[in-house]
Each structure stands twice: as C-alpha cells, then as structure tokens.
Amino acid sequence: MKKNSNFVFMAVGACLVVSVGELLSTFAMGPFYPGYSQLKETMSALGASDSPISGPISAWWILMGFLLILFGLGFRRAFLERGVSALVASWLIMLYGFGEGFGSGAFKANYIAGEYTNSAMVHDTLGGIGVVAILILPLIMLWVISKEEMPRFHRLSKILFVTGIATVLLFMFRFSSSNDTFLAEYKGLWQRLFMLNTYIYLVVIAAIMWKQQVKKIASGL
C-alpha cells in the first residue's frame, strides 16, 4: 500500500512540475530568441534548429514527455478500481506526453524556404496526436468520476472540453490562406491558451488523486 501511495504522490509531483514548467519555460526562454513574439509565434519555433534556445527547450520537452508518462502511470494506479475508463484515460495522458513531449523535443519544426521538412511533418503529426488525446480526456473522465461523486468536476470537465476545442480551432486559423488576419496572426496566443486550459485540468486531476490517496492511507486501505 505504501509503495503504491508513494508512486501516486510522485506522479502528482511530476504533473505539477510539468504544469508549472511548461507555462514558465516559453516565457522565460522567449526573451533569449531575438524578435520572437509570444503572441504571434508558435512554441514549436523555440525548438527549431535556427532558434538560439533550440537545445534547452527541446531537452525540456523530452523531460516533459517522461514526466507526463509517469503521471499517466500514477493515474492508472490511483484509479485502478474504476475499470476500463480509467485505463483509457491513463493512456490518453501518456499519449499526450509522448506526442507533445517526446515528439516535439526529438523532431524539430524546421522549415526550409517555407516548405515542411520531414522532421517538421513528424513533429506536427505526433503533436497533433497528443493534442487529440488530451482533448478527449475530459470526456473519458466523465466516466472515471461520476457526476454524483463530484458534480463540480463534471461541470469543469465539460467547460474545459469546450474551451479546449475552441482554442485548437482558433490555432488552426494559422493554416488559412489569409495569414494577415487577426485569428491567423495571433496563433501563439491561441496555443498558449490551449496549454493553460490543458494544465489547469491536469492539475485538478492531480489534486483529486492526492486527496483520494490521502483518504486511502487514513482509512488503512
């Protein structure tokens, strides 16, 4: 029991490190990239080969991927008795870590003469898979934790699912033919709002895991 609890607590810590680290890393490292705009440029540009901070930001993303996979494994242990829905949710968290973490860090979003490189295509593909996984997570969590058990969490899950979809759709305006529009120009803003939306939700889940585990220890389960 103690070993399992320690692993869950470690996973919660990993989630907090990722949530705070991801929100702070781009803002802390952005100023080291001359001319980089937090609101108008994607986060992927920070890790591209021509970025002066390509190495540190890519290393962070790979570490982030590892920590999110650890969080997903801890989630599985914390909600093991919840069945298939908890198993699916844990895989979605780990898939997000793999796609947005390892995928973004290992494959740089390089463009040559305005054209996608193979690395950029893999980067976008794995990142896209991770984004889809984390977008689905709130819907699966509705099955993991019942409405009767936590009505406010159910409400939050629905709200953050909608806002997550909205920010992704806004971010996708960067692919429009009219790149000079407000929606297309401020792609960095939409991406960061999506990131904020994601990590608010993961931190809430981590808090539930922590509270649940403390109750189990107190009851001697």
Side-chain angles (χ1 to χ4, degrees):
M1 171 63 190
K2 185 178 180 181
K3 185 177 180 181
N4 187 71
S5 295
N6 288 340
F7 188 84
V8 173
F9 289 140
M10 183 171 61
V12 168
C15 177
L16 296 180
V17 169
V18 168
S19 300
V20 174
E22 184 69 349
L23 291 172
L24 293 180
S25 62
T26 57
F27 292 103
M29 294 185 180
F32 293 96
Y33 190 160
Y36 179 80
S37 170
Q38 300 280 357
L39 299 182
K40 297 182 180 181
E41 300 293 335
T42 66
M43 293 165 58
S44 295
L46 292 173
S49 295
D50 58 355
S51 166
I53 54 172
S54 177
I57 200 72
S58 294
W60 159 248
W61 285 336
I62 291 173
L63 174 61
M64 181 188 83
F66 171 77
L67 293 174
L68 282 171
I69 289 174
L70 176 62
F71 179 58
L73 292 172
F75 177 94
R76 182 182 300 182
R77 291 197 185 187
F79 293 98
L80 189 62
E81 72 280 2
R82 304 299 174 104
V84 176
S85 58
L87 181 62
V88 172
S90 71
W91 274 108
L92 291 174
I93 293 170
M94 290 189 286
L95 192 57
Y96 176 68
F98 179 78
E100 282 288 85
F102 289 123
S104 296
F107 298 94
K108 298 182 180 296
N110 295 332
Y111 300 89
I112 299 177
E115 297 292 330
Y116 277 84
T117 62
N118 290 335
S119 177
M121 287 189 284
V122 175
H123 174 100
D124 284 357
T125 299
L126 293 179
I129 291 172
V131 167
V132 170
I134 210 66
L135 282 176
I136 297 172
L137 181 64
L139 298 181
I140 303 300
M141 288 302 299
L142 297 178
W143 295 89
V144 178
I145 299 175
S146 68
K147 185 177 182 180
E148 293 71 25
E149 187 180 2
M150 292 186 180
R152 286 187 295 180
F153 177 73
H154 256 240
R155 194 177 307 116
L156 178 68
S157 296
K158 293 176 181 178
I159 291 172
L160 294 187
F161 171 72
V162 172
T163 53
I165 293 291
T167 51
V168 168
L169 290 176
L170 287 169
F171 182 62
M172 290 180 68
F173 271 95
R174 68 191 177 112
F175 297 115
S176 67
S177 56
S178 301
N179 290 322
D180 56 345
T181 64
F182 174 82
L183 294 179
E185 185 178 8
Y186 283 85
K187 51 187 177 290
L189 172 62
W190 316 132
Q191 187 179 33
R192 284 162 178 77
L193 288 176
F194 168 75
M195 182 178 68
L196 179 63
N197 188 81
T198 295
Y199 290 111
I200 286 175
Y201 194 61
L202 292 181
V203 167
V204 170
I205 292 174
I208 292 172
M209 288 167 57
W210 181 280
K211 186 176 181 180
Q212 175 183 279
Q213 207 63 31
V214 169
K215 284 184 177 179
K216 285 183 177 180
I217 294 173
S219 61
L221 295 177

